[in-house]
Amino acid sequence: MGDRASNGRTVVERRSELELVVTRTFNGPVRLVFDAWTKPELFKLWWAPKSMGVPILSCEMDVRTGGSYRITFGHDAADAMAFFGKYLDVSPPSRLVWSNDEGGEEGAVTTVTFEEEDGRTLLVLRELYPSKEALDQSFVGMEDALPEQFEQLDELLITLSASV
Amino acid sequence: MVQFSTARLDASFAALSDATRRGVLEQLGSADASITELAEKFHMTLTGMKKHIGVLEQAGLVTTEKVGRVRTCRLGSRGLEEEAAWIEARRQIWNARFDALDDVIEALKRKEKVDGGQSE
C-alpha cells in the first residue's frame, strides 16, 4: 500500500453487530464532496481505485429520493459484477441513503452524511446490515477482500464460538 | 491488502482438522480447563491430550499457563486478531477509495479557481 500522508485518516469501526462506520475528513467544501458522490462522471473516478484491480465498466445513477443506481465492475461485460439499489434519501448537500439490493435479503443500507467545517468536510458512512452474519460475511464486492481460505477459517471459528 | 500468512493458515486448518481438538476449543470457549481435566473429559491419556494442546498452541488457538503444578488452557487471542484483520481489510478498501476521492476533490478545487469560481 502507498504510504500517503492521508493514510490513517480513514477510521473504520464496527459499532455494533449490525453496523460498520467509516469516517474521514476531506480537504474541500461540502458542495464539492457531495458532487463527487452524486455525479457519475466524478464518482467513476474514485469508487474503484486502481489498487483494487477491478475497473468500473458502467455507472448509472439517478440521484434523487426514490431513484435507482446500477454500477458494474469487471474487465469485460462477460465477467461483470453488478451492484444496484435505490436512493432512499437524497438531501443535498448533507445526506445520502441508498439500499444495496444485489445482496437480496442480506443487503445493507448505506447512509453517508457530509458536514462542513472551515472549508473541510467530515464524512461519515454507515453500513447497516440486517443480520450479524451478513456483516461478518460482507464483501465490499472486490476481489481483494479476504482470501477464500481465510473466509473458510473464519466461518469455522465463528461456528465453534457460536456453539459455546 | 492485508497479507495473511499461509503458514499460519495451514497450521490453523491442521489444528482444526481433528474432532477432539475442535471439541477442546468448544470446551475452552465455555471455561478454562487444565490438561488433566481435558484428558479426562475426552477419555484420553495425559500424553495424548498434551500433544493435541501443543498443536492448538502452535496455531495460536490456545494459550497455556502453568500455575504451580497445573497447566491451565484457555482460548488464544486469535479471535481478537481475526477481528482486527477483518476491520483492517475493510479499512484498506475505504482508504484506497478515499485517497482517490481526495485527488478528485483537489482537481475540482483547482478547476473552480481556474474557472474564476468562488475563492476559498
Side-chain angles (χ1 to χ4, degrees):
Chain A
M1 299 298 295
D3 279 328
R4 300 172 45 129
S6 58
N7 266 9
R9 288 194 295 123
T10 305
V11 178
V12 175
E13 299 165 274
R14 186 163 180 166
R15 291 260 171 104
S16 73
E17 290 198 335
L18 305 180
E19 196 177 30
L20 192 72
V21 180
V22 186
T23 49
R24 169 113 164 201
T25 300
F26 293 94
N27 192 17
V30 148
R31 61 191 158 74
L32 294 185
V33 181
F34 194 81
D35 274 356
W37 282 78
T38 51
K39 293 186 172 169
E41 70 274 17
L42 296 175
F43 186 82
K44 269 201 294 211
L45 297 172
W46 64 271
W47 187 251
K50 283 191 182 65
S51 61
M52 283 192 184
V54 189
I56 286 190
L57 281 174
S58 69
C59 175
E60 294 149 31
M61 301 161 72
D62 177 13
V63 190
R64 54 195 172 125
T65 302
S68 301
Y69 71 88
R70 185 181 179 85
I71 300 159
T72 61
F73 292 90
H75 296 287
D76 54 57
D79 72 350
M81 288 181 291
F83 294 81
F84 52 89
K86 275 200 161 44
Y87 290 102
L88 306 176
D89 180 14
V90 177
S91 306
S94 55
R95 193 172 135 95
L96 268 181
V97 183
W98 69 80
S99 62
N100 296 272
D101 297 344
E102 70 281 344
E105 303 251 303
E106 296 290 82
V109 170
T110 307
T111 301
V112 191
T113 58
F114 307 80
E115 209 175 319
E116 187 164 334
E117 197 174 316
D118 303 331
R120 292 162 67 81
T121 299
L122 169 66
L123 183 141
V124 179
L125 179 141
R126 288 191 173 77
E127 287 183 327
L128 183 62
Y129 287 80
S131 71
K132 176 180 182 294
E133 292 69 31
L135 173 50
D136 283 340
Q137 289 160 30
S138 66
F139 257 44
V140 196
M142 297 292 147
E143 288 174 354
D144 59 359
L146 298 177
E148 200 179 336
Q149 238 196 338
F150 199 75
E151 286 281 307
Q152 292 169 357
L153 178 61
D154 252 353
E155 279 172 36
L156 195 49
L157 290 168
I158 288 163
T159 312
L160 284 167
S161 56
S163 59
V164 164
Chain B
M1 289 309 296
V2 187
Q3 294 299 312
F4 295 109
S5 141
T6 312
R8 212 177 91 166
L9 278 180
D10 288 348
S12 303
F13 280 113
L16 293 164
S17 65
D18 177 271
T20 302
R21 290 198 288 266
R22 290 198 298 271
V24 167
L25 286 178
E26 213 170 319
Q27 188 63 31
L28 295 178
S30 42
D32 298 350
S34 70
I35 293 192
T36 311
E37 286 166 344
L38 291 168
E40 279 170 16
K41 188 158 183 69
F42 289 90
H43 312 294
M44 293 185 76
T45 63
L46 208 51
T47 313
M49 184 49 75
K50 271 184 185 155
K51 272 187 188 154
H52 280 312
I53 294 295
V55 173
L56 289 167
E57 218 173 354
Q58 282 293 308
L61 296 166
V62 164
T63 57
T64 68
E65 190 187 3
K66 196 158 186 173
V67 180
R69 293 179 55 186
V70 181
R71 186 170 282 281
T72 301
C73 311
R74 58 179 58 98
L75 282 186
S77 56
R78 186 62 196 268
L80 293 174
E81 288 174 31
E82 300 278 342
E83 184 68 4
W86 185 95
I87 289 278
E88 181 56 20
R90 281 148 185 84
R91 200 191 70 83
Q92 300 257 15
I93 287 169
W94 285 108
N95 202 55
R97 269 182 180 159
F98 288 166
D99 282 352
L101 178 51
D102 265 342
D103 296 341
V104 169
I105 291 164
E106 282 305 317
L108 290 173
K109 278 162 62 178
R110 278 199 304 274
K111 186 171 180 301
E112 275 197 342
K113 278 213 174 79
V114 170
D115 295 349
Q118 298 107 325
S119 54
E120 290 289 298

